[in-house]
Amino acid sequence: MNVSLTDALRDVVDERLRSGLYGNASEYVRELIRRDEEATRQLRAIYQNGIDSGESVPMSDDDWAALRAVAARSPAPRQA
């Protein structure tokens, strides 16, 4: 299998290889695929838990206020 990468993505791979965590690009790609598979399994489980949790109910003003309070305490996302 061959994969074509942009220069920017090739730089990312090269950086990971220089870190010493991976012996070659194939090891890094395999690790990314394993992580993707695990994330997909977790997301499906979360989705199924939501389905199994019962009938949905509309959010109240108090629910929205609590959600906003949690969001206000969360750190701002980092910009690239």
Side-chain angles (χ1 to χ4, degrees), residues 58-71:
M59 288 189 54
S60 69
D61 290 339
D62 289 341
D63 294 330
W64 283 110
L67 188 57
R68 285 186 192 98
V70 169

Side-chain angles (χ1 to χ4, degrees), residues 5-6 24 28 53 62 74:
L5 300 175
T6 64
N24 57 52
Y28 180 54
S53 69
D62 289 341
S74 298

Side-chain angles (χ1 to χ4, degrees), residues 18-39:
R18 282 191 301 275
S19 76
L21 294 174
Y22 304 95
N24 57 52
S26 292
E27 286 180 17
Y28 180 54
V29 170
R30 285 192 295 269
E31 176 69 16
L32 292 175
I33 292 169
R34 283 191 287 271
R35 289 181 188 188
D36 178 66
E37 284 295 304
E38 179 59 26

Side-chain angles (χ1 to χ4, degrees), residues 45-60:
I46 291 168
Y47 178 74
Q48 190 62 52
N49 284 341
I51 291 171
D52 295 342
S53 69
E55 185 112 8
S56 64
V57 295
M59 288 189 54
S60 69

